[in-house]
Amino acid sequence: MSPFEPYDPCTIEPKWQQVWDAEEPYRADDSDTTRPTFYALDMFAYPSGDLHMGHAEAFSIGDAIARYKAMCGFNVLHPVGWDAFGLPAENAAIKRGIHPSEWTHANIAVQAATFRRMGISFDWTRRYNTCDPEFYRWTQWLFLRFFERGLAYRKAASANWCPSCLTVLANEQVIGGRCERCDSVVVKRDLTQWFFKITDYAQRLLDDMDQLTGWSDKVVTMQRNWIGRSEGAEVVFQIKGRSEPVTVFTTRPDTLFGATFFLLAPEHPLCRELVAGTEREAAFEEFLQGVRSKSEIERLASERTKEGMFLGGYAVNPVNGEEIPIWAADYVLFEYGTGAVMAVPAHDERDFEFAKAYGLPIRTVIAPPDPSMDPEVAPAAYTGEGSTVNSGPYDGLPSLETLRRITADLEAAGKGKGTIAYRLRDWLISRQRFWGCPIPIIRCPSCGEVAVPDSDLPVRLPEGSGLDLAPKGQSPLAAIPEWVNVSCPCCGKPATRETDTMDTFVDSSWYFFRYCSPRETERPFDPALVAKWMPVSQYTGGIEHAILHLLYSRFFTKVCFDLGLVPFTEPFPNLLNQGMVLMAGAAMSKSRGNIVEPRSIIDTLGADTLRVTMLFAGPVDADVDWADVSPAGVNRWLGRVWRIAGACAEGPAAGPGPESLRRLTHHTIREVTADYERFRFNTAVAKLMTLANAVIEAGRGDGAGTQAERQAVEALLLMLAPMAPFITEELWRRLGHAESVHRAAWPSFDPGLAALERVTCVFQVNGKVRDRAEVAADISEEELRAMALSSERVRESLGGKEPAKVIVVAPKLVNLVAARG
């Protein structure tokens, strides 16, 4: 076939890596107004060691998209950076006795080298790290804009506390009651913390979801459920012997007459007030400590026994004046709603279980359609609609009408109002650790909380060695007097800095804006360039960020819109989530000893093999089990591509070659183009393998180097280039092209030639052949069905009747089942 030397990626790939590093061919052009823009963004990496296989998969997908769009004529922005703050770096630094910056930057250098070895088409001129003062200066600037608008505030609250990391966690960072970082059981602590008022944007976060046209239904549903919009009523309950009432939110005001007891979250301040100085006080403190030791997941679990205690007080039902006992219950959470619940055991499953456990009354107020389902006699609550009973003037009304009337009557009496509530809580951003963006607030005994002036930003983290970073329950910054003690910017008196640092999700909530103008020094980003490049055209990353990062980024974008910084409200209209990379059914991890490093594949088989293996393994959103893939097989196929391109490079094309190969080439271009548009890289690779095999067969039958073979090989290289950039670059140049394959135009196809050769389709009636027809190989099922029904021989066999069933197996078979009788 070819006089080429054998395929050797270890020689080819370093060569082109050096060329690309020198020439910077993937720089986005801010000044270009002739080409449409395409912002291809990958969720940036955290620098904890070298890249892992999950990175290899995600960035291979993102790079294939970016390279394909560049070949289609787009001005592509494909930036790179690192999410560089966080606990892993701080913990590693403590273990090694070094500054977190040293560990972080060493890992960034390692990962950057691996990215280059993989041939990822990043615009390296836009590179930055979130731990750079030039970046976090603007994180602090944005915090201050939130602070000015009342969107950043500090308050005392019960917080999730990791006893191992010794820091607060947001609700979203608690997975199954455990810390997402170290897997320790999370407990509750009362602390004064900083929050972002994301709840002010709850409805807008829901309303704008119609812009997320390129998101999966799964992720949209996850966000909707997390925000958790509920329509209902706020109902005011007076507390016997207390002037200040308690308000509850309920979605079922139609069941108010069925409230037979009143529940408080054990953390609610009223609990301690009610038991203070009574014989219940000690028992309540013991009960409270027991509740605090349980995770939120445990407290809400439907299968566990509900626990509570009577507090000795009574609430007054506003619709009938009935005094009902007040209990503390472990399944009521202080963070949700008002921390108080009117308990209607007949029509709420958890209240029903609680009432049964403690012998509390159950009163039916919504009659079920089947009397045997009445909760007063049945073993379960009835939660559906029905006719109102035991509810005074509302008796006999449908429950939905009762809901409307009771809500209106409460409003008229000043005892409640219709309202909307959300499950979403404000975002707790305080972290009691060192390696994070300092919160730019100064606390002054005279002036209170004072913003650091913009001119004094960034508030820098201390540098140098000898820092004591061991977790102590408060930020290590608090133990550095020369950093903490400052003068108040307002009055000049002695004051202290805020020592908590920000949640690292604050950094990742706006980093995509900074890529548009990463060297901007007067503002966080250039609004004109953000308007040019954004919203992001395609965002790629793991589904594990469906709630945290994506929700927070959407919130930040809406605030930036309100600040007049950006002209849109959604940053990522199109989102692609890749699956996980497993080993024999389990997640890869060092503790399991089942890690496969990308570098080990690159060192032996090459980056192109690694990339194509990841893309060929299955649909992008499906998990990949490394035990089931074959990098060696992919490497052998790339070797075949190497050899057939070598045959075409031997000399001028010798004759036109087979027409069938020309048709297959155009058909493959059409189909692979559609696969790229739909991110079906695995089927694209399969079709390129078919085309490569056809070139080999043509070469055996008609001699090497025909025009049809040359056209097929060049099309093959162009379509493979976004997935395997090194081998295609080398072969493209060897075929005589002066310019890079990655600057070449994506191949076009002739629609007439793209329709494959015609095939014979058999028409059967009850399994017996009645007719045949020559049809296009890509004919649709609908067309075949119509052809079969129009066949004279088929109609005769059916006796002029419509068939009972038509089975179409395109393009080769249609079987019609005749109707009986």
Side-chain angles (χ1 to χ4, degrees), residues 275-325:
V275 300
T278 72
E279 69 280 3
R280 296 183 177 86
E281 188 170 13
F284 172 74
E285 291 299 330
E286 183 178 350
F287 171 71
L288 177 61
Q289 293 309 310
V291 171
R292 284 181 175 272
S293 68
K294 300 172 186 173
S295 70
E296 184 176 307
I297 300 296
E298 289 178 291
R299 290 172 65 176
L300 294 177
S302 58
E303 67 277 3
R304 58 173 292 277
T305 302
K306 310 296 183 289
E307 296 180 5
M309 71 169 287
F310 176 51
L311 299 174
Y314 291 85
V316 180
N317 191 325
V319 294
N320 58 11
E322 182 180 0
E323 296 180 2
I324 55 178

Short mmCIF file of all heavy atoms in Angstrom, two decimals, residues 275-325:
data_model
loop_
_atom_site.label_atom_id
_atom_site.label_comp_id
_atom_site.label_asym_id
_atom_site.label_seq_id
_atom_site.Cartn_x
_atom_site.Cartn_y
_atom_site.Cartn_z
N VAL A 275 -40.67 26.52 76.76
CA VAL A 275 -40.25 25.58 77.82
C VAL A 275 -39.41 26.25 78.89
O VAL A 275 -39.09 25.62 79.91
CB VAL A 275 -39.47 24.39 77.22
CG1 VAL A 275 -40.32 23.64 76.23
CG2 VAL A 275 -38.16 24.84 76.59
N ALA A 276 -39.01 27.50 78.70
CA ALA A 276 -38.13 28.17 79.64
C ALA A 276 -38.74 28.18 81.04
O ALA A 276 -39.90 28.59 81.24
CB ALA A 276 -37.84 29.60 79.19
N GLY A 277 -37.96 27.73 82.00
CA GLY A 277 -38.40 27.74 83.39
C GLY A 277 -39.41 26.68 83.75
O GLY A 277 -39.95 26.70 84.86
N THR A 278 -39.68 25.74 82.84
CA THR A 278 -40.65 24.68 83.12
C THR A 278 -39.93 23.35 83.29
O THR A 278 -38.73 23.22 83.02
CB THR A 278 -41.68 24.55 81.99
OG1 THR A 278 -41.04 23.97 80.85
CG2 THR A 278 -42.25 25.92 81.61
N GLU A 279 -40.69 22.34 83.73
CA GLU A 279 -40.11 21.01 83.90
C GLU A 279 -39.73 20.37 82.57
O GLU A 279 -39.03 19.36 82.52
CB GLU A 279 -41.10 20.09 84.63
CG GLU A 279 -42.35 19.71 83.86
CD GLU A 279 -43.44 20.80 83.87
OE1 GLU A 279 -43.18 21.88 84.43
OE2 GLU A 279 -44.52 20.54 83.31
N ARG A 280 -40.16 20.98 81.44
CA ARG A 280 -39.84 20.44 80.12
C ARG A 280 -38.50 20.95 79.58
O ARG A 280 -38.02 20.47 78.56
CB ARG A 280 -40.94 20.81 79.12
CG ARG A 280 -42.30 20.19 79.42
CD ARG A 280 -43.30 20.56 78.34
NE ARG A 280 -44.59 19.94 78.56
CZ ARG A 280 -45.55 20.44 79.33
NH1 ARG A 280 -45.35 21.62 79.94
NH2 ARG A 280 -46.68 19.79 79.50
N GLU A 281 -37.90 21.94 80.21
CA GLU A 281 -36.74 22.62 79.65
C GLU A 281 -35.57 21.66 79.42
O GLU A 281 -34.97 21.63 78.33
CB GLU A 281 -36.31 23.77 80.57
CG GLU A 281 -35.21 24.64 79.94
CD GLU A 281 -34.97 25.90 80.74
OE1 GLU A 281 -35.46 26.00 81.89
OE2 GLU A 281 -34.28 26.80 80.21
N ALA A 282 -35.21 20.86 80.41
CA ALA A 282 -34.07 19.95 80.27
C ALA A 282 -34.34 18.89 79.21
O ALA A 282 -33.47 18.56 78.40
CB ALA A 282 -33.75 19.29 81.61
N ALA A 283 -35.58 18.37 79.21
CA ALA A 283 -35.93 17.34 78.22
C ALA A 283 -35.88 17.91 76.81
O ALA A 283 -35.45 17.23 75.86
CB ALA A 283 -37.32 16.79 78.52
N PHE A 284 -36.30 19.18 76.66
CA PHE A 284 -36.25 19.78 75.32
C PHE A 284 -34.81 19.95 74.84
O PHE A 284 -34.52 19.69 73.68
CB PHE A 284 -36.97 21.14 75.32
CG PHE A 284 -36.78 21.87 74.01
CD1 PHE A 284 -37.46 21.46 72.87
CD2 PHE A 284 -35.87 22.91 73.90
CE1 PHE A 284 -37.27 22.09 71.65
CE2 PHE A 284 -35.67 23.55 72.69
CZ PHE A 284 -36.36 23.14 71.56
N GLU A 285 -33.91 20.39 75.74
CA GLU A 285 -32.52 20.57 75.32
C GLU A 285 -31.92 19.24 74.87
O GLU A 285 -31.17 19.19 73.89
CB GLU A 285 -31.69 21.17 76.46
CG GLU A 285 -32.05 22.61 76.79
CD GLU A 285 -31.82 23.55 75.61
OE1 GLU A 285 -30.92 23.29 74.78
OE2 GLU A 285 -32.54 24.56 75.51
N GLU A 286 -32.25 18.18 75.55
CA GLU A 286 -31.78 16.84 75.15
C GLU A 286 -32.37 16.45 73.80
O GLU A 286 -31.68 15.91 72.92
CB GLU A 286 -32.15 15.82 76.22
CG GLU A 286 -31.64 14.42 75.92
CD GLU A 286 -31.97 13.44 77.03
OE1 GLU A 286 -32.43 13.87 78.11
OE2 GLU A 286 -31.78 12.23 76.80
N PHE A 287 -33.67 16.73 73.63
CA PHE A 287 -34.33 16.44 72.35
C PHE A 287 -33.69 17.24 71.21
O PHE A 287 -33.41 16.71 70.13
CB PHE A 287 -35.82 16.77 72.47
CG PHE A 287 -36.58 16.71 71.18
CD1 PHE A 287 -36.85 15.50 70.55
CD2 PHE A 287 -37.05 17.88 70.57
CE1 PHE A 287 -37.56 15.45 69.36
CE2 PHE A 287 -37.74 17.84 69.38
CZ PHE A 287 -38.00 16.62 68.77
N LEU A 288 -33.42 18.53 71.47
CA LEU A 288 -32.84 19.40 70.45
C LEU A 288 -31.46 18.89 70.01
O LEU A 288 -31.15 18.88 68.81
CB LEU A 288 -32.73 20.83 70.98
CG LEU A 288 -32.06 21.86 70.06
CD1 LEU A 288 -32.84 22.01 68.76
CD2 LEU A 288 -31.92 23.20 70.76
N GLN A 289 -30.64 18.49 70.96
CA GLN A 289 -29.32 17.98 70.61
C GLN A 289 -29.42 16.72 69.76
O GLN A 289 -28.65 16.51 68.83
CB GLN A 289 -28.50 17.72 71.87
CG GLN A 289 -28.14 18.99 72.64
CD GLN A 289 -27.51 20.05 71.75
OE1 GLN A 289 -26.58 19.79 71.00
NE2 GLN A 289 -28.04 21.28 71.84
N GLY A 290 -30.38 15.88 70.07
CA GLY A 290 -30.59 14.68 69.27
C GLY A 290 -31.00 15.00 67.84
O GLY A 290 -30.52 14.37 66.88
N VAL A 291 -31.85 16.01 67.69
CA VAL A 291 -32.28 16.42 66.35
C VAL A 291 -31.10 17.01 65.58
O VAL A 291 -30.92 16.73 64.39
CB VAL A 291 -33.43 17.45 66.45
CG1 VAL A 291 -33.73 18.04 65.08
CG2 VAL A 291 -34.67 16.79 67.03
N ARG A 292 -30.29 17.81 66.24
CA ARG A 292 -29.15 18.44 65.56
C ARG A 292 -28.12 17.42 65.07
O ARG A 292 -27.35 17.71 64.16
CB ARG A 292 -28.47 19.45 66.48
CG ARG A 292 -29.24 20.75 66.65
CD ARG A 292 -28.46 21.69 67.57
NE ARG A 292 -29.08 23.01 67.69
CZ ARG A 292 -28.84 24.02 66.88
NH1 ARG A 292 -28.01 23.87 65.88
NH2 ARG A 292 -29.43 25.20 67.06
N SER A 293 -28.09 16.26 65.68
CA SER A 293 -27.13 15.23 65.26
C SER A 293 -27.58 14.51 64.00
O SER A 293 -26.82 13.74 63.42
CB SER A 293 -26.93 14.21 66.39
OG SER A 293 -28.12 13.44 66.59
N LYS A 294 -28.82 14.75 63.57
CA LYS A 294 -29.35 14.09 62.38
C LYS A 294 -29.18 14.99 61.16
O LYS A 294 -29.29 16.21 61.26
CB LYS A 294 -30.83 13.75 62.55
CG LYS A 294 -31.14 12.82 63.70
CD LYS A 294 -32.65 12.71 63.91
CE LYS A 294 -32.98 11.90 65.16
NZ LYS A 294 -34.42 11.93 65.44
N SER A 295 -28.95 14.39 60.03
CA SER A 295 -28.88 15.15 58.79
C SER A 295 -30.29 15.53 58.34
O SER A 295 -31.29 14.95 58.79
CB SER A 295 -28.21 14.34 57.69
OG SER A 295 -29.05 13.27 57.28
N GLU A 296 -30.34 16.50 57.43
CA GLU A 296 -31.63 16.92 56.87
C GLU A 296 -32.30 15.75 56.15
O GLU A 296 -33.52 15.58 56.23
CB GLU A 296 -31.40 18.08 55.91
CG GLU A 296 -32.66 18.67 55.33
CD GLU A 296 -32.37 19.88 54.46
OE1 GLU A 296 -31.69 20.80 54.93
OE2 GLU A 296 -32.82 19.89 53.29
N ILE A 297 -31.50 14.95 55.47
CA ILE A 297 -32.05 13.78 54.76
C ILE A 297 -32.69 12.83 55.74
O ILE A 297 -33.80 12.31 55.50
CB ILE A 297 -30.94 13.07 53.96
CG1 ILE A 297 -30.32 14.01 52.93
CG2 ILE A 297 -31.49 11.82 53.29
CD1 ILE A 297 -31.26 14.46 51.86
N GLU A 298 -32.02 12.58 56.87
CA GLU A 298 -32.58 11.67 57.87
C GLU A 298 -33.88 12.22 58.43
O GLU A 298 -34.86 11.48 58.61
CB GLU A 298 -31.58 11.48 59.01
CG GLU A 298 -30.36 10.66 58.66
CD GLU A 298 -29.40 10.58 59.84
OE1 GLU A 298 -28.79 11.61 60.19
OE2 GLU A 298 -29.26 9.49 60.39
N ARG A 299 -33.91 13.51 58.71
CA ARG A 299 -35.10 14.11 59.31
C ARG A 299 -36.31 14.06 58.37
O ARG A 299 -37.45 13.96 58.83
CB ARG A 299 -34.82 15.55 59.73
CG ARG A 299 -33.87 15.65 60.91
CD ARG A 299 -33.45 17.08 61.20
NE ARG A 299 -34.57 17.92 61.63
CZ ARG A 299 -34.45 19.18 62.02
NH1 ARG A 299 -33.25 19.75 62.02
NH2 ARG A 299 -35.51 19.88 62.38
N LEU A 300 -36.05 14.13 57.07
CA LEU A 300 -37.16 14.14 56.11
C LEU A 300 -37.51 12.77 55.57
O LEU A 300 -38.47 12.63 54.83
CB LEU A 300 -36.80 15.07 54.94
CG LEU A 300 -36.66 16.56 55.27
CD1 LEU A 300 -36.24 17.33 54.04
CD2 LEU A 300 -37.96 17.12 55.83
N ALA A 301 -36.72 11.74 55.91
CA ALA A 301 -36.95 10.41 55.36
C ALA A 301 -38.35 9.93 55.69
O ALA A 301 -38.79 9.96 56.85
CB ALA A 301 -35.91 9.43 55.89
N SER A 302 -39.07 9.46 54.67
CA SER A 302 -40.47 9.06 54.86
C SER A 302 -40.62 7.77 55.66
O SER A 302 -41.63 7.56 56.32
CB SER A 302 -41.14 8.90 53.49
OG SER A 302 -40.46 7.94 52.72
N GLU A 303 -39.59 6.89 55.61
CA GLU A 303 -39.75 5.58 56.23
C GLU A 303 -39.45 5.56 57.72
O GLU A 303 -39.75 4.59 58.42
CB GLU A 303 -38.85 4.56 55.51
CG GLU A 303 -37.35 4.77 55.69
CD GLU A 303 -36.78 5.79 54.73
OE1 GLU A 303 -37.56 6.38 53.95
OE2 GLU A 303 -35.55 6.00 54.75
N ARG A 304 -38.84 6.62 58.26
CA ARG A 304 -38.43 6.61 59.66
C ARG A 304 -39.56 7.12 60.56
O ARG A 304 -40.45 7.84 60.13
CB ARG A 304 -37.18 7.46 59.87
CG ARG A 304 -37.34 8.90 59.45
CD ARG A 304 -36.12 9.74 59.83
NE ARG A 304 -36.00 9.87 61.25
CZ ARG A 304 -36.67 10.79 61.97
NH1 ARG A 304 -37.49 11.63 61.36
NH2 ARG A 304 -36.53 10.86 63.27
N THR A 305 -39.51 6.73 61.83
CA THR A 305 -40.50 7.17 62.81
C THR A 305 -40.27 8.64 63.16
O THR A 305 -39.14 9.05 63.44
CB THR A 305 -40.40 6.32 64.09
OG1 THR A 305 -40.60 4.95 63.75
CG2 THR A 305 -41.44 6.75 65.11
N LYS A 306 -41.34 9.41 63.12
CA LYS A 306 -41.24 10.83 63.43
C LYS A 306 -41.14 11.00 64.95
O LYS A 306 -41.79 10.30 65.72
CB LYS A 306 -42.48 11.58 62.91
CG LYS A 306 -42.82 11.28 61.44
CD LYS A 306 -41.74 11.75 60.51
CE LYS A 306 -42.11 11.52 59.05
NZ LYS A 306 -42.10 10.11 58.65
N GLU A 307 -40.31 11.97 65.38
CA GLU A 307 -40.11 12.19 66.81
C GLU A 307 -40.47 13.63 67.17
O GLU A 307 -40.26 14.55 66.37
CB GLU A 307 -38.65 11.92 67.20
CG GLU A 307 -38.25 10.46 67.00
CD GLU A 307 -36.81 10.21 67.40
OE1 GLU A 307 -36.16 11.16 67.93
OE2 GLU A 307 -36.32 9.09 67.20
N GLY A 308 -41.00 13.82 68.37
CA GLY A 308 -41.38 15.15 68.81
C GLY A 308 -41.63 15.21 70.30
O GLY A 308 -41.53 14.18 70.99
N MET A 309 -41.94 16.39 70.79
CA MET A 309 -42.33 16.54 72.21
C MET A 309 -43.26 17.74 72.35
O MET A 309 -43.15 18.74 71.64
CB MET A 309 -41.10 16.69 73.11
CG MET A 309 -40.33 17.97 72.99
SD MET A 309 -39.10 18.14 74.34
CE MET A 309 -40.16 18.49 75.76
N PHE A 310 -44.20 17.60 73.30
CA PHE A 310 -45.15 18.66 73.59
C PHE A 310 -44.43 19.77 74.35
O PHE A 310 -43.68 19.52 75.29
CB PHE A 310 -46.32 18.11 74.40
CG PHE A 310 -47.32 19.13 74.83
CD1 PHE A 310 -47.88 20.03 73.92
CD2 PHE A 310 -47.71 19.22 76.17
CE1 PHE A 310 -48.81 20.98 74.32
CE2 PHE A 310 -48.64 20.17 76.58
CZ PHE A 310 -49.19 21.05 75.66
N LEU A 311 -44.66 21.03 73.96
CA LEU A 311 -43.94 22.16 74.53
C LEU A 311 -44.74 22.90 75.61
O LEU A 311 -44.24 23.85 76.21
CB LEU A 311 -43.55 23.14 73.43
CG LEU A 311 -42.63 22.56 72.34
CD1 LEU A 311 -42.44 23.58 71.22
CD2 LEU A 311 -41.28 22.15 72.91
N GLY A 312 -45.98 22.48 75.83
CA GLY A 312 -46.78 23.08 76.89
C GLY A 312 -47.56 24.31 76.47
O GLY A 312 -48.30 24.87 77.27
N GLY A 313 -47.44 24.75 75.20
CA GLY A 313 -48.15 25.92 74.73
C GLY A 313 -49.27 25.57 73.77
O GLY A 313 -49.42 24.42 73.35
N TYR A 314 -50.06 26.59 73.42
CA TYR A 314 -51.20 26.37 72.53
C TYR A 314 -51.27 27.50 71.50
O TYR A 314 -51.01 28.67 71.81
CB TYR A 314 -52.50 26.31 73.33
CG TYR A 314 -52.60 25.08 74.19
CD1 TYR A 314 -52.03 25.07 75.47
CD2 TYR A 314 -53.22 23.93 73.73
CE1 TYR A 314 -52.08 23.93 76.26
CE2 TYR A 314 -53.28 22.78 74.53
CZ TYR A 314 -52.71 22.79 75.78
OH TYR A 314 -52.76 21.65 76.55
N ALA A 315 -51.64 27.13 70.29
CA ALA A 315 -51.88 28.09 69.21
C ALA A 315 -53.37 28.16 68.95
O ALA A 315 -54.10 27.18 69.15
CB ALA A 315 -51.14 27.65 67.95
N VAL A 316 -53.81 29.32 68.47
CA VAL A 316 -55.24 29.53 68.25
C VAL A 316 -55.52 29.48 66.76
O VAL A 316 -54.99 30.30 65.98
CB VAL A 316 -55.71 30.88 68.84
CG1 VAL A 316 -57.21 31.07 68.60
CG2 VAL A 316 -55.39 30.94 70.33
N ASN A 317 -56.37 28.52 66.35
CA ASN A 317 -56.73 28.38 64.94
C ASN A 317 -57.57 29.59 64.52
O ASN A 317 -58.63 29.85 65.11
CB ASN A 317 -57.51 27.08 64.73
CG ASN A 317 -57.69 26.74 63.27
OD1 ASN A 317 -57.84 27.61 62.42
ND2 ASN A 317 -57.68 25.44 62.96
N PRO A 318 -57.13 30.35 63.51
CA PRO A 318 -57.84 31.60 63.18
C PRO A 318 -59.22 31.40 62.56
O PRO A 318 -60.00 32.36 62.51
CB PRO A 318 -56.89 32.28 62.18
CG PRO A 318 -56.12 31.16 61.57
CD PRO A 318 -55.94 30.15 62.66
N VAL A 319 -59.54 30.20 62.08
CA VAL A 319 -60.85 30.03 61.43
C VAL A 319 -61.94 29.58 62.40
O VAL A 319 -63.13 29.76 62.12
CB VAL A 319 -60.77 29.04 60.25
CG1 VAL A 319 -59.90 29.59 59.14
CG2 VAL A 319 -60.29 27.66 60.70
N ASN A 320 -61.54 28.97 63.54
CA ASN A 320 -62.58 28.50 64.46
C ASN A 320 -62.28 28.81 65.93
O ASN A 320 -63.05 28.44 66.82
CB ASN A 320 -62.81 27.00 64.29
CG ASN A 320 -61.55 26.18 64.52
OD1 ASN A 320 -60.54 26.69 65.00
ND2 ASN A 320 -61.60 24.90 64.16
N GLY A 321 -61.14 29.49 66.20
CA GLY A 321 -60.80 29.86 67.58
C GLY A 321 -60.35 28.71 68.43
O GLY A 321 -60.13 28.87 69.64
N GLU A 322 -60.20 27.52 67.88
CA GLU A 322 -59.82 26.35 68.66
C GLU A 322 -58.35 26.46 69.09
O GLU A 322 -57.48 26.84 68.32
CB GLU A 322 -60.02 25.09 67.82
CG GLU A 322 -59.70 23.80 68.56
CD GLU A 322 -59.91 22.56 67.70
OE1 GLU A 322 -60.30 22.72 66.52
OE2 GLU A 322 -59.68 21.45 68.19
N GLU A 323 -58.10 26.12 70.37
CA GLU A 323 -56.74 26.08 70.88
C GLU A 323 -56.15 24.69 70.63
O GLU A 323 -56.71 23.69 71.07
CB GLU A 323 -56.71 26.41 72.38
CG GLU A 323 -57.17 27.83 72.68
CD GLU A 323 -57.14 28.14 74.18
OE1 GLU A 323 -56.73 27.26 74.96
OE2 GLU A 323 -57.52 29.26 74.55
N ILE A 324 -55.04 24.67 69.92
CA ILE A 324 -54.43 23.39 69.57
C ILE A 324 -53.01 23.33 70.15
O ILE A 324 -52.31 24.34 70.21
CB ILE A 324 -54.40 23.17 68.05
CG1 ILE A 324 -53.69 24.32 67.32
CG2 ILE A 324 -55.81 23.01 67.52
CD1 ILE A 324 -53.59 24.13 65.81
N PRO A 325 -52.57 22.16 70.63
CA PRO A 325 -51.28 22.04 71.32
C PRO A 325 -50.10 22.25 70.38
O PRO A 325 -50.15 21.89 69.20
CB PRO A 325 -51.30 20.61 71.87
CG PRO A 325 -52.22 19.87 70.96
CD PRO A 325 -53.29 20.87 70.56
#
